[in-house]
Amino acid sequence: MSRSSVRWWALGLIALAQFIVIMDTSIIGVALPRMREDLGFSPGNLSWVFNAYVVAFGGLLLLGGRLSDLFGARRIFATGWVILLAGSAAAGLAGTVEVELAARAVQGAGAALIAPSALTLLMMLFGGKPAELTKALALYGAAAPAGGTAGVFLGGVITEYASWPWVFYLNIPIALLALIATPTLMPAGGNRHGSLDVAGALTVTAGLGAAVYGIVRAPEVGWTSAQTWATLAGAAILLAAFLTIQAKRREPLMRLSILANRNLSAANVAQLLLGAAWIPMWFYLNLYLQQVLGYSAFPSGAALLPMTVLIMIGMIVAAPRVIARSGPKTTLVTGLAVLAAGLGWLALIRPTGSYLVDVLPASLVAALGMALAFIPSLGTALSSARPEEGGLASGIVNTSYQVGSALGLAAMTALAAAHGADELGNPAALTDGYSAALLGAAGIAGVAAVLAAITLTGRDTATTAPQMDTTPASR
């Protein structure tokens, strides 16, 4: 196998990693009712099968990026797969609520090592060739919507024809394949001199975890409840302590001056707001299809396929060409504006609507906007960092998107509830609530477009990536 072909096979494994990390957030949806019956979940605890994964994932991403820089991205990538495998086996074998939630948190921890190290490896393999880097980022980005949609399909098929533990066991052969292929395909890199900032790692992980916990819990217990305020206040104190530690340490977990890079900061804000707009759209569009239009879980997943296919084509084919012609800033601002328009159109859904009129056209416009916005924001965030801080930059941008997703979904859940989304069995009230959430998401995307236009420089950072080691590991 030639060196060039090894690099593209490695990209396939990196895209697979992104696919699995996102799939694990959606594959459990259809299985939740069966899990509730078998394990004895209460209605309030059931959502934590999803949240336990998200909290661990979001809280540990920054640490995962730093570990990649210190101990080598390939080593941390493989370690993440081992942890994901163990968590998946435990989740499938779980016989109690407590074990199930702990296992999901372990899965999230494994994903938090896989995601930033995978992006670091991508930069190591393709960072020296700008044209190839854009294509590589496009394939990587397209794996996310593919994983989300595949999770809905596979969750339905597995739950219907096998049993819910297999939604977790599915990860085991994939993880084993990844562990076998990693030494051959991935660049070895090497350890860097430096120490791990344990105090910083503990405070930022606890702070981010508490913030995500408070955000995803708030719609359930109330945004004004003492529990919500105490959790978010604790998160703020921990994150303030983290910043203080970083400012004083000689070798911090995160060099604070990295945020002084204007394009890196602006691109991360764009990623945060992109997640805050996109995830609520996917969530409430699915609810509209099922609870208003009467689709069952599997057909509703099928109804989202055109949107997913367009995103993948847009990221792989359209976005690289637009970036090459117009530059990342123009592409990003345009994509966010198109996303805002699509979400605003979706907000016009009707209680007596139809898929072909109320959903399909507007969802395709939103999908095109997502396809155009994701690649330039991700590429700018990664290529604006120093080569030796690629893992850190990967951790920051992944954290931005995940925290933005949690924050956006929680905020839009509160908005939807305030406009009638809690009135099950009342299509008009449900539609009003879902429409309000979609309109709120459109506003977030619109704000993101304005901020990107103001804060990003015109310099073509997404196509001037840092030079990094591109030598594949020996066989």
Side-chain angles (χ1 to χ4, degrees):
M1 188 183 298
S2 68
R3 177 177 296 181
S4 177
S5 62
V6 168
R7 291 167 60 245
W8 291 102
W9 277 104
L11 176 61
L13 180 55
I14 291 168
L16 176 65
Q18 173 76 337
F19 179 93
I20 293 298
V21 163
I22 301 302
M23 185 189 75
D24 280 346
T25 65
S26 63
I27 196 170
I28 61 161
V30 180
L32 288 177
R34 303 278 181 88
M35 295 175 68
R36 180 180 60 197
E37 295 172 4
D38 291 350
L39 299 180
F41 276 96
S42 68
N45 286 337
L46 191 62
S47 64
W48 282 96
V49 180
F50 172 80
N51 292 339
Y53 180 91
V54 173
V55 169
F57 188 20
L60 292 168
L61 274 166
L62 196 57
L63 176 61
R66 178 59 174 164
L67 289 173
S68 294
D69 288 336
L70 286 179
F71 300 107
R74 186 175 75 175
R75 181 176 298 168
I76 299 304
F77 184 72
T79 302
W81 281 109
V82 171
I83 295 173
L84 181 67
L85 188 157
S88 300
L93 294 169
T96 66
V97 169
E98 294 76 14
V99 173
E100 183 63 51
L101 296 183
R104 282 291 284 168
V106 172
Q107 282 188 302
L113 298 184
I114 292 171
S117 58
L119 269 176
T120 303
L121 288 165
L122 185 150
M123 293 298 291
M124 292 171 69
L125 290 162
F126 297 96
K129 298 184 178 181
E132 290 187 351
L133 175 61
T134 302
K135 294 178 182 178
L137 288 173
L139 289 168
Y140 172 88
T149 302
V152 175
F153 273 106
L154 291 174
V157 171
I158 291 171
T159 304
E160 182 70 25
Y161 297 105
S163 59
W164 67 261
W166 284 96
V167 303
F168 302 115
Y169 295 152
L170 179 66
N171 285 339
I172 295 176
I174 296 173
L176 290 173
L177 176 65
L179 288 169
I180 292 169
T182 294
T184 301
L185 297 178
M186 298 302 179
N191 298 348
R192 298 189 187 277
H193 296 294
S195 60
L196 181 62
D197 176 9
V198 176
L202 290 175
T203 52
V204 73
T205 299
L208 288 173
V212 175
Y213 176 91
I215 289 165
V216 299
R217 180 76 171 164
E220 185 177 338
V221 301
W223 280 96
T224 59
S225 70
Q227 179 181 333
T228 298
W229 281 101
T231 303
L232 294 179
I237 292 170
L238 287 166
L239 292 174
F242 166 71
L243 294 175
T244 301
I245 293 168
Q246 300 312 286
K248 294 181 177 180
R249 276 191 65 92
R250 184 176 179 180
E251 294 186 47
L253 178 68
M254 184 179 78
R255 179 177 60 84
L256 294 182
S257 58
I258 193 174
L259 300 178
N261 184 307
R262 180 173 175 176
N263 273 350
L264 184 144
S265 296
N268 273 280
V269 170
Q271 278 277 310
L272 185 145
L273 295 176
L274 189 59
W278 180 256
I279 296 303
M281 185 221 68
W282 184 86
F283 184 83
Y284 282 106
L285 192 55
N286 202 15
L287 286 179
Y288 174 72
L289 289 168
Q290 293 188 51
Q291 297 185 357
V292 177
L293 298 188
Y295 286 42
S296 62
F298 193 80
S300 70
L304 300 178
L305 266 180
M307 181 173 64
T308 303
V309 171
L310 180 59
I311 291 174
M312 295 176 67
I313 294 173
M315 287 187 178
I316 295 171
V317 179
R321 295 180 179 178
V322 177
I323 292 171
R325 184 184 309 115
S326 304
K329 176 180 178 178
T330 300
T331 306
L332 173 57
V333 173
T334 301
L336 289 169
V338 172
L339 175 59
L343 291 170
W345 189 357
L346 277 173
L348 301 177
I349 51 176
R350 301 166 297 161
T352 57
S354 69
Y355 170 72
L356 290 177
V357 174
D358 293 73
V359 175
L360 182 61
S363 70
L364 293 179
V365 172
L368 177 60
M370 177 62 169
L372 291 176
F374 188 84
I375 301 304
S377 58
L378 178 64
T380 300
L382 293 174
S383 62
S384 297
R386 296 175 181 174
E388 66 272 16
E389 292 181 322
L392 175 60
S394 300
I396 293 172
V397 72
N398 273 287
T399 300
S400 297
Y401 188 83
Q402 293 300 324
V403 171
S405 299
L407 177 60
L409 182 56
M412 294 308 102
T413 297
L415 184 62
H419 287 79
D422 288 342
E423 298 183 32
L424 297 178
N426 185 339
L430 290 174
T431 303
D432 286 344
Y434 302 159
S435 176
L438 292 166
L439 190 59
I444 292 172
V447 169
V450 173
L451 288 177
I454 294 171
T455 58
L456 278 171
T457 68
R459 185 169 57 90
D460 196 0
T461 53
T463 57
T464 56
Q467 298 292 324
M468 302 184 76
D469 179 13
T470 60
T471 306
S474 59
R475 293 173 181 261

Coordinates of all heavy atoms in Angstrom, one line a residue, residues 318-380:
A318 N -19.7 20.6 -2.4 CA -20.0 22.1 -2.6 C -19.1 22.9 -1.7 O -18.4 23.9 -2.2 CB -21.4 22.4 -2.3
A319 N -19.0 22.6 -0.4 CA -18.2 23.5 0.5 C -16.8 23.7 0.1 O -16.3 24.8 0.1 CB -18.3 23.0 1.9
P320 N -16.0 22.6 -0.3 CA -14.6 22.9 -0.7 C -14.5 23.8 -1.9 O -13.6 24.6 -1.9 CB -14.1 21.5 -1.0 CG -14.9 20.6 -0.2 CD -16.3 21.2 -0.2
R321 N -15.4 23.7 -2.8 CA -15.4 24.5 -4.0 C -15.7 26.0 -3.7 O -15.0 26.9 -4.2 CB -16.3 24.0 -5.1 CG -15.9 22.6 -5.6 CD -16.9 22.2 -6.7 NE -16.5 20.8 -7.2 CZ -17.2 20.2 -8.1 NH1 -18.3 20.7 -8.6 NH2 -16.8 19.0 -8.5
V322 N -16.7 26.2 -2.8 CA -17.0 27.5 -2.4 C -15.9 28.2 -1.6 O -15.6 29.4 -1.8 CB -18.4 27.5 -1.6 CG1 -18.7 29.0 -1.1 CG2 -19.5 27.0 -2.5
I323 N -15.3 27.4 -0.7 CA -14.2 27.9 0.1 C -13.0 28.3 -0.8 O -12.4 29.4 -0.7 CB -13.7 26.9 1.1 CG1 -14.8 26.7 2.2 CG2 -12.4 27.3 1.8 CD1 -14.5 25.6 3.1
A324 N -12.7 27.5 -1.8 CA -11.6 27.8 -2.8 C -11.9 29.0 -3.6 O -11.0 29.8 -3.9 CB -11.4 26.6 -3.7
R325 N -13.2 29.3 -3.9 CA -13.5 30.4 -4.7 C -13.7 31.7 -3.9 O -13.2 32.8 -4.3 CB -14.8 30.2 -5.4 CG -15.2 31.3 -6.4 CD -16.6 31.0 -7.1 NE -16.7 29.6 -7.6 CZ -17.5 28.7 -7.2 NH1 -18.3 28.9 -6.2 NH2 -17.5 27.5 -7.8
S326 N -14.3 31.6 -2.7 CA -14.7 32.8 -1.9 C -13.9 33.0 -0.6 O -14.0 34.0 0.0 CB -16.2 32.7 -1.6 OG -16.9 32.6 -2.8
G327 N -13.2 31.9 -0.2 CA -12.6 32.0 1.1 C -13.5 31.5 2.3 O -14.7 31.5 2.1
P328 N -12.9 31.2 3.4 CA -13.6 30.6 4.5 C -14.6 31.6 5.1 O -15.7 31.2 5.6 CB -12.6 30.1 5.5 CG -11.4 30.9 5.1 CD -11.4 31.1 3.7
K329 N -14.2 32.8 5.3 CA -15.1 33.8 6.0 C -16.4 34.0 5.2 O -17.5 33.9 5.8 CB -14.4 35.1 6.1 CG -15.3 36.2 6.7 CD -14.6 37.5 6.9 CE -15.5 38.6 7.5 NZ -14.9 39.9 7.7
T330 N -16.3 34.2 3.9 CA -17.5 34.4 3.1 C -18.4 33.2 3.1 O -19.6 33.2 3.2 CB -17.2 34.8 1.7 OG1 -16.4 36.0 1.7 CG2 -18.4 35.0 0.8
T331 N -17.7 32.0 3.0 CA -18.5 30.8 3.0 C -19.2 30.5 4.3 O -20.4 30.1 4.4 CB -17.5 29.6 2.7 OG1 -16.8 29.8 1.5 CG2 -18.3 28.3 2.6
L332 N -18.5 30.8 5.5 CA -19.1 30.6 6.8 C -20.3 31.6 7.0 O -21.4 31.1 7.4 CB -18.0 30.9 7.9 CG -18.5 30.9 9.3 CD1 -19.2 29.6 9.7 CD2 -17.3 31.1 10.2
V333 N -20.1 32.8 6.7 CA -21.2 33.8 6.9 C -22.4 33.5 6.0 O -23.5 33.5 6.5 CB -20.7 35.2 6.6 CG1 -21.8 36.2 6.6 CG2 -19.6 35.6 7.6
T334 N -22.1 33.1 4.8 CA -23.2 32.7 3.9 C -23.9 31.5 4.4 O -25.2 31.4 4.4 CB -22.7 32.4 2.5 OG1 -22.0 33.6 2.0 CG2 -23.8 32.0 1.5
G335 N -23.2 30.5 4.8 CA -23.8 29.2 5.4 C -24.7 29.5 6.6 O -25.8 29.0 6.7
L336 N -24.2 30.3 7.5 CA -25.0 30.7 8.7 C -26.3 31.4 8.3 O -27.3 31.2 8.9 CB -24.2 31.5 9.7 CG -23.0 30.7 10.4 CD1 -22.1 31.6 11.1 CD2 -23.6 29.7 11.3
A337 N -26.1 32.3 7.3 CA -27.3 33.1 6.9 C -28.3 32.1 6.2 O -29.6 32.3 6.5 CB -26.9 34.2 5.9
V338 N -27.9 31.2 5.4 CA -28.8 30.3 4.7 C -29.4 29.4 5.8 O -30.6 29.0 5.7 CB -28.0 29.4 3.7 CG1 -28.9 28.3 3.2 CG2 -27.5 30.3 2.5
L339 N -28.6 28.9 6.8 CA -29.2 28.1 7.9 C -30.3 28.9 8.6 O -31.4 28.3 8.9 CB -28.1 27.7 8.8 CG -28.5 27.0 10.1 CD1 -29.2 25.7 9.7 CD2 -27.3 26.7 11.0
A340 N -30.0 30.1 8.9 CA -31.1 31.0 9.6 C -32.3 31.0 8.7 O -33.5 31.0 9.3 CB -30.5 32.3 9.9
A341 N -32.2 31.2 7.4 CA -33.3 31.3 6.5 C -34.1 30.0 6.5 O -35.4 30.0 6.6 CB -32.9 31.7 5.1
G342 N -33.4 28.9 6.5 CA -34.1 27.6 6.5 C -34.8 27.3 7.8 O -35.9 26.8 7.8
L343 N -34.2 27.7 8.9 CA -34.8 27.5 10.2 C -36.1 28.4 10.3 O -37.1 28.0 10.9 CB -33.9 27.8 11.3 CG -32.7 26.7 11.5 CD1 -31.7 27.3 12.5 CD2 -33.3 25.4 12.0
G344 N -36.0 29.6 9.8 CA -37.1 30.5 9.8 C -38.2 30.0 9.0 O -39.4 30.1 9.4
W345 N -37.9 29.4 7.9 CA -38.9 28.7 7.0 C -39.6 27.6 7.8 O -40.8 27.4 7.8 CB -38.3 28.3 5.7 CG -39.3 27.8 4.7 CD1 -40.6 27.7 4.7 CD2 -38.9 27.4 3.3 NE1 -41.1 27.2 3.6 CE2 -40.1 27.1 2.7 CE3 -37.7 27.3 2.6 CZ2 -40.1 26.6 1.4 CZ3 -37.7 26.9 1.3 CH2 -38.9 26.5 0.7
L346 N -38.8 26.7 8.4 CA -39.3 25.6 9.2 C -40.2 26.0 10.3 O -41.2 25.3 10.7 CB -38.2 24.8 9.8 CG -37.5 23.7 8.9 CD1 -36.3 23.1 9.5 CD2 -38.5 22.6 8.5
A347 N -40.0 27.2 10.8 CA -40.8 27.7 11.9 C -42.3 28.0 11.5 O -43.2 28.2 12.3 CB -40.3 29.0 12.5
L348 N -42.5 27.9 10.2 CA -43.9 28.1 9.6 C -44.7 26.8 9.6 O -45.8 26.8 9.0 CB -43.8 28.7 8.2 CG -43.1 30.0 8.1 CD1 -43.0 30.5 6.6 CD2 -43.8 31.1 8.9
I349 N -44.2 25.8 10.3 CA -44.9 24.5 10.3 C -46.4 24.7 10.8 O -46.6 25.5 11.6 CB -44.2 23.5 11.2 CG1 -43.9 24.0 12.5 CG2 -43.0 22.9 10.5 CD1 -43.3 23.1 13.5
R350 N -47.3 23.8 10.3 CA -48.7 23.9 10.7 C -49.2 22.7 11.4 O -48.7 21.6 11.1 CB -49.5 24.2 9.4 CG -49.2 25.4 8.6 CD -49.8 25.3 7.2 NE -49.3 24.2 6.4 CZ -49.9 23.7 5.4 NH1 -51.0 24.2 4.9 NH2 -49.3 22.7 4.7
P351 N -50.2 22.7 12.2 CA -50.8 21.5 12.8 C -51.3 20.6 11.8 O -51.3 19.4 12.1 CB -51.9 22.1 13.8 CG -51.5 23.5 13.9 CD -50.8 24.0 12.7
T352 N -51.8 21.1 10.7 CA -52.4 20.2 9.7 C -51.5 20.2 8.4 O -51.9 20.0 7.3 CB -53.8 20.8 9.2 OG1 -53.6 22.1 8.8 CG2 -54.8 20.7 10.4
G353 N -50.2 20.3 8.7 CA -49.2 20.4 7.6 C -48.9 19.0 7.0 O -49.5 18.0 7.4
S354 N -48.0 19.0 6.1 CA -47.5 17.8 5.5 C -46.0 17.8 5.3 O -45.4 18.9 5.3 CB -48.2 17.6 4.1 OG -47.7 18.6 3.2
Y355 N -45.5 16.6 5.2 CA -44.0 16.5 5.0 C -43.5 17.3 3.8 O -42.5 18.0 3.9 CB -43.6 15.1 5.0 CG -42.2 14.8 4.6 CD1 -41.1 15.1 5.6 CD2 -41.8 14.3 3.4 CE1 -39.8 14.9 5.2 CE2 -40.5 14.1 3.1 CZ -39.5 14.4 4.0 OH -38.2 14.2 3.7
L356 N -44.2 17.0 2.7 CA -43.7 17.6 1.4 C -43.8 19.1 1.4 O -42.9 19.8 0.7 CB -44.5 17.0 0.2 CG -44.2 15.5 0.0 CD1 -45.1 15.0 -1.2 CD2 -42.8 15.3 -0.4
V357 N -44.7 19.7 2.1 CA -44.9 21.2 2.0 C -44.2 21.8 3.2 O -43.5 22.8 3.0 CB -46.4 21.5 2.0 CG1 -46.6 23.0 2.1 CG2 -47.1 21.0 0.8
D358 N -44.4 21.3 4.4 CA -43.9 22.0 5.6 C -42.5 21.7 6.0 O -41.9 22.4 6.8 CB -44.9 21.7 6.8 CG -46.2 22.3 6.6 OD1 -47.0 21.7 5.7 OD2 -46.6 23.3 7.2
V359 N -42.0 20.5 5.6 CA -40.7 20.0 6.2 C -39.6 19.9 5.1 O -38.6 20.5 5.3 CB -40.9 18.6 6.8 CG1 -39.6 18.1 7.3 CG2 -41.9 18.7 8.0
L360 N -39.9 19.2 4.0 CA -38.8 18.9 3.1 C -38.1 20.1 2.5 O -36.9 20.2 2.6 CB -39.4 18.0 2.0 CG -38.3 17.5 0.9 CD1 -37.2 16.7 1.6 CD2 -39.0 16.7 -0.2
P361 N -38.8 21.1 1.9 CA -38.1 22.2 1.2 C -37.3 23.0 2.2 O -36.1 23.3 2.0 CB -39.2 23.0 0.6 CG -40.4 22.1 0.6 CD -40.3 21.2 1.7
A362 N -37.9 23.3 3.4 CA -37.2 24.2 4.4 C -36.0 23.4 5.0 O -34.9 24.0 5.2 CB -38.1 24.6 5.4
S363 N -36.2 22.1 5.2 CA -35.1 21.3 5.8 C -33.9 21.2 4.9 O -32.7 21.2 5.3 CB -35.6 19.9 6.2 OG -35.9 19.1 5.1
L364 N -34.2 21.2 3.6 CA -33.1 21.1 2.6 C -32.3 22.5 2.6 O -31.1 22.5 2.4 CB -33.6 20.8 1.2 CG -34.2 19.4 1.1 CD1 -34.7 19.2 -0.3 CD2 -33.1 18.3 1.4
V365 N -33.0 23.6 2.7 CA -32.3 24.9 2.8 C -31.4 24.9 4.1 O -30.3 25.4 4.0 CB -33.3 26.0 2.8 CG1 -32.7 27.4 3.1 CG2 -34.1 26.1 1.5
A366 N -32.0 24.5 5.2 CA -31.2 24.5 6.4 C -30.0 23.5 6.3 O -28.9 23.9 6.8 CB -32.1 24.0 7.6
A367 N -30.2 22.4 5.6 CA -29.1 21.5 5.5 C -27.9 22.1 4.6 O -26.8 21.9 4.9 CB -29.6 20.2 4.8
L368 N -28.3 22.8 3.6 CA -27.3 23.5 2.7 C -26.5 24.5 3.6 O -25.3 24.6 3.5 CB -28.0 24.2 1.6 CG -27.1 24.9 0.6 CD1 -26.0 24.0 0.0 CD2 -27.9 25.7 -0.5
G369 N -27.2 25.2 4.4 CA -26.5 26.2 5.3 C -25.6 25.5 6.2 O -24.4 26.0 6.4
M370 N -26.0 24.4 6.8 CA -25.1 23.7 7.7 C -23.9 23.2 7.0 O -22.7 23.3 7.5 CB -25.9 22.5 8.3 CG -25.0 21.6 9.3 SD -24.4 22.5 10.7 CE -23.8 21.2 11.7
A371 N -24.1 22.7 5.8 CA -23.0 22.1 5.0 C -21.9 23.2 4.7 O -20.7 23.0 4.7 CB -23.5 21.5 3.7
L372 N -22.4 24.4 4.4 CA -21.5 25.5 4.1 C -20.8 26.1 5.3 O -19.7 26.6 5.2 CB -22.3 26.6 3.3 CG -22.8 26.3 1.9 CD1 -23.6 27.4 1.4 CD2 -21.6 25.9 1.0
A373 N -21.5 26.1 6.4 CA -20.9 26.7 7.6 C -20.0 25.8 8.4 O -19.0 26.4 9.0 CB -22.1 27.2 8.6
F374 N -20.2 24.5 8.4 CA -19.4 23.7 9.3 C -17.9 23.6 9.0 O -17.1 23.7 9.8 CB -20.0 22.3 9.3 CG -19.4 21.4 10.4 CD1 -19.9 21.4 11.7 CD2 -18.4 20.5 10.1 CE1 -19.3 20.5 12.6 CE2 -17.8 19.6 11.0 CZ -18.3 19.7 12.3
I375 N -17.6 23.4 7.7 CA -16.3 23.1 7.3 C -15.4 24.4 7.5 O -14.3 24.2 8.1 CB -16.2 22.6 5.8 CG1 -17.0 21.4 5.6 CG2 -14.8 22.4 5.4 CD1 -16.6 20.2 6.6
P376 N -15.7 25.6 7.0 CA -14.9 26.7 7.2 C -14.7 27.1 8.7 O -13.6 27.5 9.1 CB -15.5 27.8 6.5 CG -16.9 27.4 6.3 CD -16.9 25.9 6.2
S377 N -15.7 26.9 9.5 CA -15.5 27.2 11.0 C -14.6 26.2 11.6 O -13.7 26.6 12.4 CB -16.9 27.3 11.7 OG -17.6 26.0 11.5
L378 N -14.8 24.9 11.3 CA -13.9 23.9 11.9 C -12.5 24.1 11.4 O -11.5 24.1 12.2 CB -14.4 22.5 11.5 CG -13.6 21.3 12.0 CD1 -13.5 21.3 13.5 CD2 -14.1 20.0 11.4
G379 N -12.3 24.3 10.1 CA -10.9 24.4 9.5 C -10.2 25.7 10.0 O -9.0 25.6 10.3
T380 N -10.9 26.8 10.2 CA -10.3 28.0 10.7 C -9.9 27.8 12.2 O -8.8 28.2 12.6 CB -11.3 29.2 10.6 OG1 -11.6 29.4 9.3 CG2 -10.7 30.4 11.2

